[in-house]
Amino acid sequence: MEDYYFKAEGVSVGYQGKPVIEEISFGIKRGEILTLIGPNGAGKSTILKSIARQLQLIAGTAYIGKRDLHQIGKDRLAEELAVVFTERIHAEMMTCEDVVAAGRYPYTGKFGCLSQEDYRAVREAMRLVQTDEIRHRDFHKVSDGQRQRVLLARAIAQEPDMILLDEPTSYLDVKYKLEFLSVLQQMAREKCLSVIISLHELDLAERISDKVMCVGEGYVDRFGTPEEVFSPGYIGKLFHMTAGSFEENSGNLELEAPKGKPKVFVIAGGGSGKSVFRKLQRANIPFATGILFENDVDYPTAKALGAHTIAEEAFQKISDNKLNEAKAWIDQCDVVLCCREQFGFWDRENGLLLEYAGAQKKKIEKQQDFFHNKQEA
């Protein structure tokens, strides 16, 4: 049996004896990050609150180490487990350092007096999450990103073996999301912390997680590594997506493709086409594109937004069949948009396509000219 730090066996969670999710079984080792993903209201927060003992388990057993979670005393549990949940804390007239120091409550005794060891733990936690410079500032007068890092420092100062976090990045901009999750990943590695976190950002979940739990409506659908979980087409089914697409391999999230017969053919590749595809989508202009290799960075966006995408297998010579297919689509289109300045050895056939378009007297435009003319029209 694997050496799990936390393990759930046949657990059911819910409210007032009514289960929201049943038969949950999983394990997490020291130093691992487990991310919960799934639609709003599926029960991710309910799972976290049940592990934190804010809710009573309806059925099954959970273990921290070899001990039954519900047999551990409150003081001992506070030394094992810290939480960073979405509820706003009441920290009036408290500095950021005061908030972090509150994480030492399992060790301060009934009078709440901090020892030199407690102060050391507070300073170390604030240093680790890069909040030293704001330690004397009012907690409610710092940015959302800084507050989240302070709350993480409070959890670290608690010196637990496991941290639970419920959507900690929801109100953060991209800079603070990346900083926060980078610090969390570093802490998991350096402190050998077990981390269970819920996230809405699927691309970040795929990158930070050692394990992913997919929570459907009333059940756990999948549990495994990101590579096992994020299989093609799965996320759309889990979230019941009716518009747009999510490409699991690249984390590419796109809006719905324009409908209709394409009148524009785009010659792209090497990242030159992504912004053009999205501009065409915003302008509601259907397009065809190719010839792209399936490992090209343009390919996921082209596949999601294009009316038709001609693609070749990675590391293969572009075949005559693909070349002729692309020529047939150029014949149907009024305009050819070329995003490339030059063509290499492997995709010289795209250069031949450009020559073909010219020979067919097709209107060939650079992207800036095409969109400028559209705006003027």
Side-chain angles (χ1 to χ4, degrees):
M1 182 178 292
E2 296 195 62
D3 186 21
Y4 293 119
Y5 174 70
F6 177 85
K7 183 170 61 174
E9 294 182 345
V11 164
S12 296
V13 299
Y15 300 87
Q16 299 177 337
K18 297 180 179 179
V20 172
I21 305 176
E22 299 183 86
E23 291 297 321
I24 305 169
S25 297
F26 69 94
I28 178 173
K29 299 178 182 178
R30 291 183 182 273
E32 284 190 330
I33 296 178
L34 165 64
T35 302
L36 311 184
I37 64 170
N40 284 337
K44 301 184 296 296
S45 296
T46 306
I47 293 173
L48 291 172
K49 288 177 180 178
S50 300
I51 296 172
R53 282 201 341 205
Q54 294 181 6
L55 295 172
Q56 187 77 21
L57 294 181
I58 294 173
T61 309
Y63 299 91
I64 289 183
K66 305 295 183 183
R67 295 158 297 170
D68 187 322
L69 175 65
H70 284 274
Q71 299 300 318
I72 302 173
K74 288 184 177 180
D75 291 341
R76 179 59 182 165
L77 184 65
E79 296 177 11
E80 298 270 1
L81 178 64
V83 300
V84 181
F85 285 176
T86 52
E87 292 86 357
R88 295 284 183 178
I89 68 168
H90 300 290
E92 289 76 11
M93 306 298 291
M94 292 178 70
T95 66
C96 293
E97 188 174 49
D98 292 335
V99 171
V100 177
R104 296 299 297 170
Y105 76 91
Y107 311 100
T108 55
K110 64 178 64 176
F111 298 110
C113 296
L114 296 179
S115 66
Q116 289 301 312
E117 175 60 21
D118 293 322
Y119 281 117
R120 181 207 61 77
V122 169
R123 288 193 298 271
E124 174 67 6
M126 298 193 78
R127 183 191 67 79
L128 288 171
V129 301
Q130 303 167 30
T131 52
D132 304 72
E133 72 281 1
I134 62 169
R135 65 183 184 276
H136 297 309
R137 291 181 60 185
D138 188 317
F139 177 74
H140 288 297
K141 293 182 179 179
V142 298
S143 71
D144 286 341
Q146 289 170 324
R147 274 197 293 272
Q148 284 296 79
R149 282 191 288 168
V150 169
L151 293 177
L152 180 57
R154 182 185 66 168
I156 292 170
Q158 201 171 318
E159 296 186 326
D161 291 311
M162 184 163 72
I163 296 181
L164 309 179
L165 305 99
D166 190 12
E167 298 177 11
T169 59
S170 293
Y171 302 104
L172 305 184
D173 63 29
V174 64
K175 173 181 184 293
Y176 286 123
K177 286 181 196 290
L178 293 174
E179 284 184 359
F180 184 87
L181 293 177
S182 294
V183 169
L184 186 64
Q185 188 178 62
Q186 180 185 355
M187 293 303 95
R189 292 168 178 166
E190 293 183 0
K191 299 287 187 181
C192 212
L193 288 172
S194 300
V195 177
I196 305 179
I197 180 173
S198 66
L199 287 176
H200 281 306
E201 299 88 349
L202 299 177
D203 53 341
L204 296 178
E206 189 173 5
R207 286 158 175 77
I208 194 175
S209 310
D210 296 296
K211 298 288 174 57
V212 177
M213 180 186 291
C214 303
V215 183
E217 296 177 359
Y219 59 95
V220 171
D221 192 59
R222 286 188 181 183
F223 176 83
T225 65
E227 294 74 24
E228 293 168 336
V229 165
F230 287 91
S231 59
Y234 174 69
I235 293 300
K237 294 177 182 177
L238 177 66
F239 284 84
H240 306 293
M241 293 172 62
T242 57
S245 64
F246 179 84
E247 209 281 327
E248 285 82 0
N249 290 335
S250 64
N252 202 60
L253 184 67
E254 300 293 349
L255 297 172
E256 195 167 10
K259 291 180 171 60
K261 185 178 178 181
K263 295 296 184 182
V264 176
F265 190 93
V266 183
I267 298 175
S272 65
K274 290 175 67 175
S275 63
V276 174
F277 302 148
R278 288 169 180 161
K279 283 182 180 179
L280 290 166
Q281 190 275 340
R282 291 196 294 272
N284 197 32
I285 300 173
F287 65 91
T289 185
I291 303 167
L292 296 171
F293 292 105
E294 292 178 353
N295 64 340
D296 194 292
V297 292
D298 278 341
Y299 179 67
T301 306
K303 184 181 176 184
L305 299 182
H308 186 80
T309 300
I310 301 102
E312 184 61 89
E313 291 182 27
F315 310 113
Q316 298 296 315
K317 183 181 182 300
I318 293 176
S319 67
D320 289 340
N321 286 341
K322 296 295 182 181
L323 183 60
N324 291 330
E325 181 184 352
K327 287 179 178 179
W329 279 95
I330 287 176
D331 290 341
Q332 300 177 43
C333 294
D334 300 326
V335 179
V336 173
L337 272 181
C338 184
C339 305
R340 304 287 296 277
E341 295 295 332
Q342 56 186 6
F343 302 94
F345 174 79
W346 285 101
D347 69 339
R348 58 188 174 185
E349 284 78 7
N350 283 326
L352 297 178
L353 282 182
L354 189 60
E355 293 176 7
Y356 176 80
Q360 299 303 114
K361 302 294 192 275
K362 294 293 179 179
K363 188 176 182 181
I364 300 173
E365 292 196 52
K366 298 290 186 181
Q367 57 167 307
Q368 59 268 26
D369 297 328
F370 175 82
F371 290 107
H372 178 72
N373 294 337
K374 283 292 179 183
Q375 287 179 343
E376 288 192 341

